[in-house]
Amino acid sequence: NHWLLELKGGYKFNKNFMLDSRYGFTVSSDEQTEDYGSSGTGKYDISSSYFGVYATGLYPISSVFNLYASAGLTSTTLDVDGTFTSSNYPEYNDTSSESNSSTSLAFAFGAGYVVNDKVSINLEYSKLHFGEFDDFDVDMNIGGFNLSAYVLF
């Protein structure tokens, strides 16, 4: 699991519609180890970053609470650093770094507490990337629950 840091910003056109963008990156990486038996061991360190643009519909419940749903596109970059070590085949010991980007549809929905006209605090569920990273031949889903603050301008 990754811990993410995300920056959100947007422009609110009226009480029911806004455009927003998000930039985020992992602040902790995900290290995985693969045992290849007598051939050796692979260790992989995975991190990611993303940028997305979203259209957001807002439904005010009261003057200080609202519900919202967002849909848009997110471009995600996945970085993998790998090390292969083998005591039986030391000539195959190697390290490498790979990076791959992919763009996918994204969505989020949540509830917000309006602090003032420019700031709200939100609890949301988002799915920021789902699909395949071709170079790695891996399907990846990036998303989950988050607590955030919106600053509108």
Side-chain angles (χ1 to χ4, degrees):
N1 290 330
H2 293 236
W3 284 94
L4 301 172
L5 182 62
E6 182 178 77
L7 177 65
K8 299 178 184 181
Y11 183 80
K12 190 173 182 180
F13 291 91
N14 58 48
K15 69 177 187 169
N16 296 108
F17 181 72
M18 65 181 274
L19 291 177
D20 64 287
S21 61
R22 301 171 184 212
Y23 171 74
F25 57 92
T26 53
V27 292
S28 65
S29 59
D30 186 16
E31 187 173 287
Q32 298 180 8
T33 302
E34 294 289 332
D35 184 2
Y36 298 109
S38 63
S39 296
T41 303
K43 291 185 179 180
Y44 307 96
D45 187 34
I46 302 168
S47 61
S48 63
S49 63
Y50 57 89
F51 176 77
V53 178
Y54 306 88
T56 301
L58 302 155
Y59 180 75
I61 296 174
S62 72
S63 62
V64 293
F65 286 104
N66 63 49
L67 299 176
Y68 65 91
S70 300
L73 290 174
T74 298
S75 176
T76 304
T77 301
L78 188 65
D79 299 307
V80 178
D81 297 320
T83 303
F84 179 80
T85 55
S86 173
S87 56
N88 293 337
Y89 307 100
E91 64 273 18
Y92 293 114
N93 290 350
D94 193 17
T95 60
S96 66
S97 295
E98 298 287 334
S99 183
N100 186 233
S101 295
S102 178
T103 300
S104 80
L105 295 174
F107 67 88
F109 57 89
Y113 172 74
V114 179
V115 177
N116 60 40
D117 288 344
K118 303 289 184 190
V119 177
S120 67
I121 298 172
N122 303 288
L123 177 63
E124 77 173 21
Y125 177 80
S126 60
K127 198 63 118 164
L128 303 175
H129 182 88
F130 46 99
E132 187 169 303
F133 286 89
D134 293 330
D135 288 356
F136 299 138
D137 193 29
V138 64
D139 286 331
M140 170 117 2
N141 292 307
I142 299 172
F145 286 96
N146 71 59
L147 181 62
S148 62
Y150 266 105
V151 177
L152 305 171
F153 35 139

